Amino acid sequence: EGTRWSTGPQGFLENGSVSGKRETAIPIALKRFPLNNGQTGTLRGIVASRAFEEGERVLQLPSSVVFSIGPEEDSSNGEHWAVPFAKKLIEEKRAGASSFFSEYIASLPEAQMTGLELERSWEVLKEVQYLPAISAIANYSNLISLTFKGRSNRFRGETDLAEWVWANTVVHSRTFRHEGERFMLPLIDLINHDFERENVQWVRRDDRSIDLAVNRRIEQGEQLYVSYGDRNSDDFLVYYGFVPDQNPFETFILFESTKEACTWYIDRFLGSQDEDARSCILEMAQEAALAEEQDSSMSALEISATGQADGRMLAAFEAIHRQDPKAGPVPLRALMDRCCEILDTYPTTIEHDLLLLSSHTDATLQVSRYGARLHSHNCKNNKYSIHSSFPLSFAGMCSPIE
C-alpha cells in the first residue's frame, strides 16, 4: 500500500491495488472511446483485461487508498459537505509527488465537464428551456461562488476561482455515498455510467476495503459500467455534463406546490366560484394531497418519464373532481392537459431541436450535444398519452412535434 505508483492514469491503473497488494497484472485497463452522435473527441473508460464470471471480484480497494475526509474535517461547522473535500483535494494536489494520492490526482481530468459550462453563455443556457434545470445550474454556480468567498483564511489569497471550481466539480461528480459517509474511489471512479449496461457495482464489505463486483459475465475487452445512482437528467446535466440516452428515473415538474396544482385545477375546470366556496374546495384538496405525502421535504409535484404521477396531485384532483364530476375531467385527463399546456409554452419544437442539434459542430454547442438524447414518445395531434415516455429536460425537448 505504501508503494509509490508510476506517473499518470495508465501507470496508476497498471500498478493499482488489488486485494490490498501491489500486483503487476491488474485485470482492467484504460481505453479511449469515440463520442456518440457525431461528436468530436474521445471519452475514456475502463475495460476488462480478461473475462469475468458473475459474482467475481474485479478489484478490492483497501481503505487506505480511498480519498475521504476524517471526522475532524467533516461539515459539522455548517459548511457544505463538498467544501472540506475540495480543500483536501487542493492541498493534496499542491503537495505534488509527496502526496500519497499523487497518482490518483494525476488521473483526474484537468477540466470537468458539467452544467456550469452552459452558464458561460446566456445564449446557450437559455436553450435548456426547462426552468428547473436552469435554476439548478444557477444554484450550483452560486454555491461554488459563495463557498469560494467564504473559504478559510488558510486558503485566502492562495486559491483562485478556477482552481476552486475545478476541485468542486471533481468532488461533486466523483463522490460516492454510503450510509451517510462520502468518499472518492480511485480506479472505480474512472468507470462510466450506464443504467442498462451496468455490469459491475462497488460494495463496501467492511471498514477495511471496498470491492468492485461483477453483476453478469463480462467478456475480455468489454467496457465496465456502473450506475451513478437514481438521478433525473437534470442532475446528470448539472453535475456530470451529460444526459443519459434512457433514464428510468427521469422526472418533470408540473407544479411547484400542491397549492399551485389545486388552484390550477379549480381555475381551469370549475370556472367562477365565490370566495368561500373556492377556499373550501382548495382546503379540502390540499388536505387530500397531504394525506398522500410520504416525504415532507418534497414540494414540487412531478411526473416521471414512465408516466408515474405524484400521488399528491392525483389525490387533490380526485377530491376536487368528486365535488362536481361534470365540471372537470378525471385526474389523469387533467394531468394530460397540464402536460400539453406546458409543452405549448416552449419556444421550439422537438423537430426544431433535432434539426438544430444535428446541424451544429460549433464548439460552443458541444455541451448541448451531450444532451441530445431523446426518449421514445407517443404523440397524436400534440396530445401525449399519460403513459408516454416524455422527452424531458434538455434543449426544448419537451416540445410537441409539429
mmCIF file of all heavy atoms in Angstrom, residues 271-312:
data_model
loop_
_atom_site.group_PDB
_atom_site.id
_atom_site.type_symbol
_atom_site.label_atom_id
_atom_site.label_comp_id
_atom_site.label_asym_id
_atom_site.label_seq_id
_atom_site.Cartn_x
_atom_site.Cartn_y
_atom_site.Cartn_z
ATOM 1 N N GLY A 271 -64.378 26.957 -13.213
ATOM 2 C CA GLY A 271 -64.895 28.266 -13.569
ATOM 3 C C GLY A 271 -64.990 29.181 -12.377
ATOM 4 O O GLY A 271 -64.297 29.021 -11.368
ATOM 5 N N SER A 272 -65.893 30.155 -12.460
ATOM 6 C CA SER A 272 -66.030 31.137 -11.380
ATOM 7 C C SER A 272 -66.632 30.501 -10.139
ATOM 8 O O SER A 272 -67.593 29.740 -10.213
ATOM 9 C CB SER A 272 -66.901 32.303 -11.848
ATOM 10 O OG SER A 272 -68.182 31.836 -12.219
ATOM 11 N N GLN A 273 -66.055 30.791 -9.013
ATOM 12 C CA GLN A 273 -66.522 30.310 -7.715
ATOM 13 C C GLN A 273 -66.498 31.493 -6.757
ATOM 14 O O GLN A 273 -65.610 32.344 -6.835
ATOM 15 C CB GLN A 273 -65.609 29.205 -7.180
ATOM 16 C CG GLN A 273 -65.553 27.950 -8.038
ATOM 17 C CD GLN A 273 -66.720 27.027 -7.773
ATOM 18 O OE1 GLN A 273 -67.268 27.023 -6.671
ATOM 19 N NE2 GLN A 273 -67.114 26.256 -8.784
ATOM 20 N N ASP A 274 -67.487 31.542 -5.849
ATOM 21 C CA ASP A 274 -67.402 32.598 -4.843
ATOM 22 C C ASP A 274 -66.238 32.282 -3.917
ATOM 23 O O ASP A 274 -65.784 31.139 -3.811
ATOM 24 C CB ASP A 274 -68.709 32.749 -4.075
ATOM 25 C CG ASP A 274 -69.057 31.512 -3.262
ATOM 26 O OD1 ASP A 274 -68.340 31.230 -2.282
ATOM 27 O OD2 ASP A 274 -70.036 30.814 -3.625
ATOM 28 N N GLU A 275 -65.747 33.286 -3.230
ATOM 29 C CA GLU A 275 -64.511 33.155 -2.462
ATOM 30 C C GLU A 275 -64.608 32.086 -1.391
ATOM 31 O O GLU A 275 -63.661 31.322 -1.166
ATOM 32 C CB GLU A 275 -64.154 34.508 -1.835
ATOM 33 C CG GLU A 275 -62.733 34.586 -1.302
ATOM 34 C CD GLU A 275 -61.704 34.377 -2.400
ATOM 35 O OE1 GLU A 275 -61.942 34.784 -3.550
ATOM 36 O OE2 GLU A 275 -60.651 33.781 -2.101
ATOM 37 N N ASP A 276 -65.741 31.988 -0.723
ATOM 38 C CA ASP A 276 -65.897 30.988 0.336
ATOM 39 C C ASP A 276 -65.853 29.575 -0.226
ATOM 40 O O ASP A 276 -65.189 28.688 0.332
ATOM 41 C CB ASP A 276 -67.215 31.219 1.082
ATOM 42 C CG ASP A 276 -67.177 32.474 1.940
ATOM 43 O OD1 ASP A 276 -66.061 32.946 2.231
ATOM 44 O OD2 ASP A 276 -68.257 32.974 2.308
ATOM 45 N N ALA A 277 -66.581 29.360 -1.319
ATOM 46 C CA ALA A 277 -66.605 28.034 -1.932
ATOM 47 C C ALA A 277 -65.219 27.643 -2.450
ATOM 48 O O ALA A 277 -64.781 26.501 -2.294
ATOM 49 C CB ALA A 277 -67.622 28.002 -3.069
ATOM 50 N N ARG A 278 -64.552 28.612 -3.050
ATOM 51 C CA ARG A 278 -63.203 28.367 -3.576
ATOM 52 C C ARG A 278 -62.248 27.988 -2.450
ATOM 53 O O ARG A 278 -61.476 27.026 -2.576
ATOM 54 C CB ARG A 278 -62.717 29.621 -4.299
ATOM 55 C CG ARG A 278 -61.328 29.496 -4.898
ATOM 56 C CD ARG A 278 -60.885 30.842 -5.456
ATOM 57 N NE ARG A 278 -59.558 30.756 -6.000
ATOM 58 C CZ ARG A 278 -59.270 30.362 -7.232
ATOM 59 N NH1 ARG A 278 -60.246 30.005 -8.049
ATOM 60 N NH2 ARG A 278 -58.034 30.319 -7.653
ATOM 61 N N SER A 279 -62.282 28.737 -1.363
ATOM 62 C CA SER A 279 -61.400 28.464 -0.227
ATOM 63 C C SER A 279 -61.683 27.093 0.366
ATOM 64 O O SER A 279 -60.762 26.360 0.761
ATOM 65 C CB SER A 279 -61.566 29.543 0.844
ATOM 66 O OG SER A 279 -61.181 30.803 0.347
ATOM 67 N N CYS A 280 -62.958 26.730 0.427
ATOM 68 C CA CYS A 280 -63.344 25.430 0.987
ATOM 69 C C CYS A 280 -62.823 24.283 0.123
ATOM 70 O O CYS A 280 -62.269 23.314 0.634
ATOM 71 C CB CYS A 280 -64.862 25.359 1.115
ATOM 72 S SG CYS A 280 -65.449 23.828 1.860
ATOM 73 N N ILE A 281 -62.999 24.413 -1.201
ATOM 74 C CA ILE A 281 -62.529 23.374 -2.124
ATOM 75 C C ILE A 281 -61.008 23.275 -2.077
ATOM 76 O O ILE A 281 -60.433 22.173 -2.061
ATOM 77 C CB ILE A 281 -63.009 23.677 -3.554
ATOM 78 C CG1 ILE A 281 -64.532 23.582 -3.636
ATOM 79 C CG2 ILE A 281 -62.369 22.703 -4.545
ATOM 80 C CD1 ILE A 281 -65.091 24.025 -4.984
ATOM 81 N N LEU A 282 -60.345 24.431 -2.056
ATOM 82 C CA LEU A 282 -58.881 24.451 -2.022
ATOM 83 C C LEU A 282 -58.360 23.785 -0.762
ATOM 84 O O LEU A 282 -57.423 22.976 -0.813
ATOM 85 C CB LEU A 282 -58.390 25.894 -2.111
ATOM 86 C CG LEU A 282 -56.882 26.112 -2.176
ATOM 87 C CD1 LEU A 282 -56.285 25.420 -3.387
ATOM 88 C CD2 LEU A 282 -56.550 27.601 -2.201
ATOM 89 N N GLU A 283 -58.955 24.077 0.379
ATOM 90 C CA GLU A 283 -58.514 23.486 1.639
ATOM 91 C C GLU A 283 -58.736 21.983 1.647
ATOM 92 O O GLU A 283 -57.874 21.215 2.080
ATOM 93 C CB GLU A 283 -59.269 24.134 2.791
ATOM 94 C CG GLU A 283 -58.858 23.602 4.157
ATOM 95 C CD GLU A 283 -59.618 24.264 5.298
ATOM 96 O OE1 GLU A 283 -60.412 25.202 5.028
ATOM 97 O OE2 GLU A 283 -59.425 23.851 6.458
ATOM 98 N N MET A 284 -59.896 21.549 1.143
ATOM 99 C CA MET A 284 -60.206 20.120 1.092
ATOM 100 C C MET A 284 -59.236 19.366 0.180
ATOM 101 O O MET A 284 -58.761 18.274 0.510
ATOM 102 C CB MET A 284 -61.650 19.956 0.610
ATOM 103 C CG MET A 284 -62.099 18.522 0.381
ATOM 104 S SD MET A 284 -61.855 18.051 -1.355
ATOM 105 C CE MET A 284 -62.822 19.294 -2.203
ATOM 106 N N ALA A 285 -58.913 19.965 -0.967
ATOM 107 C CA ALA A 285 -57.992 19.318 -1.906
ATOM 108 C C ALA A 285 -56.579 19.228 -1.333
ATOM 109 O O ALA A 285 -55.887 18.211 -1.489
ATOM 110 C CB ALA A 285 -57.978 20.090 -3.221
ATOM 111 N N GLN A 286 -56.132 20.278 -0.662
ATOM 112 C CA GLN A 286 -54.800 20.257 -0.059
ATOM 113 C C GLN A 286 -54.708 19.233 1.058
ATOM 114 O O GLN A 286 -53.668 18.604 1.249
ATOM 115 C CB GLN A 286 -54.438 21.652 0.451
ATOM 116 C CG GLN A 286 -54.118 22.642 -0.666
ATOM 117 C CD GLN A 286 -53.648 23.983 -0.138
ATOM 118 O OE1 GLN A 286 -54.447 24.859 0.197
ATOM 119 N NE2 GLN A 286 -52.341 24.143 -0.054
ATOM 120 N N GLU A 287 -55.782 19.053 1.803
ATOM 121 C CA GLU A 287 -55.805 18.026 2.852
ATOM 122 C C GLU A 287 -55.702 16.634 2.245
ATOM 123 O O GLU A 287 -55.013 15.759 2.773
ATOM 124 C CB GLU A 287 -57.075 18.161 3.681
ATOM 125 C CG GLU A 287 -57.100 19.371 4.599
ATOM 126 C CD GLU A 287 -58.398 19.490 5.370
ATOM 127 O OE1 GLU A 287 -59.304 18.657 5.122
ATOM 128 O OE2 GLU A 287 -58.498 20.386 6.234
ATOM 129 N N ALA A 288 -56.378 16.428 1.109
ATOM 130 C CA ALA A 288 -56.299 15.138 0.417
ATOM 131 C C ALA A 288 -54.876 14.873 -0.070
ATOM 132 O O ALA A 288 -54.371 13.748 0.016
ATOM 133 C CB ALA A 288 -57.274 15.113 -0.755
ATOM 134 N N ALA A 289 -54.212 15.925 -0.579
ATOM 135 C CA ALA A 289 -52.828 15.783 -1.034
ATOM 136 C C ALA A 289 -51.901 15.486 0.126
ATOM 137 O O ALA A 289 -50.989 14.655 0.023
ATOM 138 C CB ALA A 289 -52.392 17.055 -1.760
ATOM 139 N N LEU A 290 -52.126 16.167 1.255
ATOM 140 C CA LEU A 290 -51.275 15.971 2.428
ATOM 141 C C LEU A 290 -51.357 14.540 2.942
ATOM 142 O O LEU A 290 -50.360 13.985 3.420
ATOM 143 C CB LEU A 290 -51.694 16.945 3.536
ATOM 144 C CG LEU A 290 -50.842 16.960 4.803
ATOM 145 C CD1 LEU A 290 -49.411 17.377 4.474
ATOM 146 C CD2 LEU A 290 -51.434 17.902 5.849
ATOM 147 N N ALA A 291 -52.538 13.930 2.822
ATOM 148 C CA ALA A 291 -52.709 12.547 3.277
ATOM 149 C C ALA A 291 -51.871 11.568 2.458
ATOM 150 O O ALA A 291 -51.539 10.478 2.931
ATOM 151 C CB ALA A 291 -54.186 12.157 3.204
ATOM 152 N N GLU A 292 -51.516 11.967 1.220
ATOM 153 C CA GLU A 292 -50.712 11.116 0.354
ATOM 154 C C GLU A 292 -49.219 11.396 0.485
ATOM 155 O O GLU A 292 -48.403 10.721 -0.131
ATOM 156 C CB GLU A 292 -51.127 11.323 -1.103
ATOM 157 C CG GLU A 292 -52.505 10.780 -1.435
ATOM 158 C CD GLU A 292 -52.541 9.261 -1.372
ATOM 159 O OE1 GLU A 292 -51.561 8.618 -1.796
ATOM 160 O OE2 GLU A 292 -53.551 8.729 -0.875
ATOM 161 N N GLU A 293 -48.864 12.408 1.270
ATOM 162 C CA GLU A 293 -47.469 12.824 1.372
ATOM 163 C C GLU A 293 -46.661 11.815 2.163
ATOM 164 O O GLU A 293 -46.999 11.476 3.287
ATOM 165 C CB GLU A 293 -47.384 14.197 2.041
ATOM 166 C CG GLU A 293 -46.012 14.820 1.987
ATOM 167 C CD GLU A 293 -46.051 16.264 2.446
ATOM 168 O OE1 GLU A 293 -46.088 16.486 3.666
ATOM 169 O OE2 GLU A 293 -46.077 17.155 1.588
ATOM 170 N N GLN A 294 -45.580 11.356 1.560
ATOM 171 C CA GLN A 294 -44.704 10.383 2.201
ATOM 172 C C GLN A 294 -43.384 10.989 2.640
ATOM 173 O O GLN A 294 -42.678 10.420 3.461
ATOM 174 C CB GLN A 294 -44.447 9.208 1.255
ATOM 175 C CG GLN A 294 -45.714 8.445 0.888
ATOM 176 C CD GLN A 294 -45.429 7.309 -0.066
ATOM 177 O OE1 GLN A 294 -44.329 7.177 -0.592
ATOM 178 N NE2 GLN A 294 -46.424 6.462 -0.283
ATOM 179 N N ASP A 295 -43.054 12.135 2.065
ATOM 180 C CA ASP A 295 -41.790 12.797 2.397
ATOM 181 C C ASP A 295 -42.071 14.284 2.527
ATOM 182 O O ASP A 295 -42.338 14.966 1.536
ATOM 183 C CB ASP A 295 -40.755 12.539 1.300
ATOM 184 C CG ASP A 295 -39.385 13.132 1.630
ATOM 185 O OD1 ASP A 295 -39.283 13.855 2.646
ATOM 186 O OD2 ASP A 295 -38.427 12.883 0.881
ATOM 187 N N SER A 296 -42.014 14.791 3.733
ATOM 188 C CA SER A 296 -42.354 16.187 3.985
ATOM 189 C C SER A 296 -41.371 17.164 3.351
ATOM 190 O O SER A 296 -41.659 18.351 3.228
ATOM 191 C CB SER A 296 -42.429 16.451 5.491
ATOM 192 O OG SER A 296 -41.178 16.161 6.105
ATOM 193 N N SER A 297 -40.196 16.677 2.946
ATOM 194 C CA SER A 297 -39.200 17.561 2.326
ATOM 195 C C SER A 297 -39.512 17.834 0.854
ATOM 196 O O SER A 297 -38.924 18.718 0.247
ATOM 197 C CB SER A 297 -37.801 16.957 2.445
ATOM 198 O OG SER A 297 -37.703 15.751 1.692
ATOM 199 N N MET A 298 -40.433 17.053 0.276
ATOM 200 C CA MET A 298 -40.772 17.216 -1.137
ATOM 201 C C MET A 298 -41.809 18.318 -1.288
ATOM 202 O O MET A 298 -42.768 18.395 -0.528
ATOM 203 C CB MET A 298 -41.324 15.904 -1.700
ATOM 204 C CG MET A 298 -40.337 14.767 -1.735
ATOM 205 S SD MET A 298 -41.082 13.233 -2.332
ATOM 206 C CE MET A 298 -41.631 13.724 -3.963
ATOM 207 N N SER A 299 -41.599 19.188 -2.268
ATOM 208 C CA SER A 299 -42.559 20.253 -2.527
ATOM 209 C C SER A 299 -43.073 20.197 -3.955
ATOM 210 O O SER A 299 -44.278 20.169 -4.188
ATOM 211 C CB SER A 299 -41.922 21.620 -2.245
ATOM 212 O OG SER A 299 -40.745 21.789 -3.025
ATOM 213 N N ALA A 300 -42.172 20.175 -4.948
ATOM 214 C CA ALA A 300 -42.587 20.155 -6.342
ATOM 215 C C ALA A 300 -43.320 18.859 -6.673
ATOM 216 O O ALA A 300 -42.997 17.785 -6.147
ATOM 217 C CB ALA A 300 -41.379 20.317 -7.249
ATOM 218 N N LEU A 301 -44.310 18.951 -7.544
ATOM 219 C CA LEU A 301 -45.096 17.793 -7.975
ATOM 220 C C LEU A 301 -44.643 17.391 -9.364
ATOM 221 O O LEU A 301 -44.631 18.205 -10.286
ATOM 222 C CB LEU A 301 -46.583 18.133 -7.967
ATOM 223 C CG LEU A 301 -47.129 18.716 -6.653
ATOM 224 C CD1 LEU A 301 -48.620 18.975 -6.760
ATOM 225 C CD2 LEU A 301 -46.845 17.789 -5.493
ATOM 226 N N GLU A 302 -44.292 16.130 -9.541
ATOM 227 C CA GLU A 302 -43.637 15.680 -10.757
ATOM 228 C C GLU A 302 -44.395 14.536 -11.424
ATOM 229 O O GLU A 302 -45.212 13.859 -10.803
ATOM 230 C CB GLU A 302 -42.212 15.201 -10.441
ATOM 231 C CG GLU A 302 -41.326 16.249 -9.792
ATOM 232 C CD GLU A 302 -39.996 15.684 -9.357
ATOM 233 O OE1 GLU A 302 -39.922 14.471 -9.046
ATOM 234 O OE2 GLU A 302 -39.018 16.452 -9.324
ATOM 235 N N ILE A 303 -44.052 14.326 -12.685
ATOM 236 C CA ILE A 303 -44.473 13.136 -13.407
ATOM 237 C C ILE A 303 -43.209 12.501 -13.973
ATOM 238 O O ILE A 303 -42.261 13.203 -14.340
ATOM 239 C CB ILE A 303 -45.477 13.475 -14.534
ATOM 240 C CG1 ILE A 303 -46.057 12.194 -15.126
ATOM 241 C CG2 ILE A 303 -44.847 14.329 -15.611
ATOM 242 C CD1 ILE A 303 -47.245 12.448 -16.039
ATOM 243 N N SER A 304 -43.165 11.182 -13.995
ATOM 244 C CA SER A 304 -41.959 10.501 -14.462
ATOM 245 C C SER A 304 -42.054 10.198 -15.945
ATOM 246 O O SER A 304 -43.124 10.277 -16.562
ATOM 247 C CB SER A 304 -41.758 9.192 -13.688
ATOM 248 O OG SER A 304 -42.704 8.219 -14.112
ATOM 249 N N ALA A 305 -40.916 9.832 -16.526
ATOM 250 C CA ALA A 305 -40.872 9.501 -17.950
ATOM 251 C C ALA A 305 -41.690 8.255 -18.257
ATOM 252 O O ALA A 305 -42.088 8.038 -19.399
ATOM 253 C CB ALA A 305 -39.422 9.287 -18.389
ATOM 254 N N THR A 306 -41.956 7.434 -17.261
ATOM 255 C CA THR A 306 -42.765 6.231 -17.462
ATOM 256 C C THR A 306 -44.238 6.480 -17.174
ATOM 257 O O THR A 306 -45.039 5.560 -17.179
ATOM 258 C CB THR A 306 -42.247 5.098 -16.553
ATOM 259 O OG1 THR A 306 -42.234 5.541 -15.191
ATOM 260 C CG2 THR A 306 -40.845 4.681 -16.957
ATOM 261 N N GLY A 307 -44.601 7.736 -16.893
ATOM 262 C CA GLY A 307 -45.997 8.075 -16.698
ATOM 263 C C GLY A 307 -46.481 7.994 -15.275
ATOM 264 O O GLY A 307 -47.681 8.123 -15.011
ATOM 265 N N GLN A 308 -45.581 7.802 -14.316
ATOM 266 C CA GLN A 308 -45.973 7.746 -12.911
ATOM 267 C C GLN A 308 -46.094 9.170 -12.377
ATOM 268 O O GLN A 308 -45.136 9.933 -12.404
ATOM 269 C CB GLN A 308 -44.952 6.960 -12.096
ATOM 270 C CG GLN A 308 -44.903 5.487 -12.470
ATOM 271 C CD GLN A 308 -43.856 4.740 -11.658
ATOM 272 O OE1 GLN A 308 -42.727 5.187 -11.545
ATOM 273 N NE2 GLN A 308 -44.246 3.611 -11.090
ATOM 274 N N ALA A 309 -47.286 9.501 -11.876
ATOM 275 C CA ALA A 309 -47.544 10.847 -11.391
ATOM 276 C C ALA A 309 -47.494 10.893 -9.873
ATOM 277 O O ALA A 309 -47.754 9.903 -9.189
ATOM 278 C CB ALA A 309 -48.912 11.321 -11.879
ATOM 279 N N ASP A 310 -47.118 12.047 -9.349
ATOM 280 C CA ASP A 310 -47.081 12.266 -7.908
ATOM 281 C C ASP A 310 -48.469 12.008 -7.326
ATOM 282 O O ASP A 310 -49.467 12.582 -7.774
ATOM 283 C CB ASP A 310 -46.643 13.709 -7.633
ATOM 284 C CG ASP A 310 -46.301 13.959 -6.174
ATOM 285 O OD1 ASP A 310 -47.145 13.664 -5.308
ATOM 286 O OD2 ASP A 310 -45.205 14.471 -5.907
ATOM 287 N N GLY A 311 -48.552 11.128 -6.324
ATOM 288 C CA GLY A 311 -49.831 10.766 -5.731
ATOM 289 C C GLY A 311 -50.574 11.930 -5.117
ATOM 290 O O GLY A 311 -51.805 11.916 -5.015
ATOM 291 N N ARG A 312 -49.841 12.963 -4.711
ATOM 292 C CA ARG A 312 -50.490 14.137 -4.130
ATOM 293 C C ARG A 312 -51.336 14.862 -5.164
ATOM 294 O O ARG A 312 -52.420 15.366 -4.859
ATOM 295 C CB ARG A 312 -49.437 15.080 -3.539
ATOM 296 C CG ARG A 312 -48.682 14.503 -2.358
ATOM 297 C CD ARG A 312 -47.519 15.413 -1.958
ATOM 298 N NE ARG A 312 -46.531 15.522 -3.030
ATOM 299 C CZ ARG A 312 -45.534 16.401 -3.030
ATOM 300 N NH1 ARG A 312 -45.405 17.261 -2.025
ATOM 301 N NH2 ARG A 312 -44.668 16.443 -4.028
#
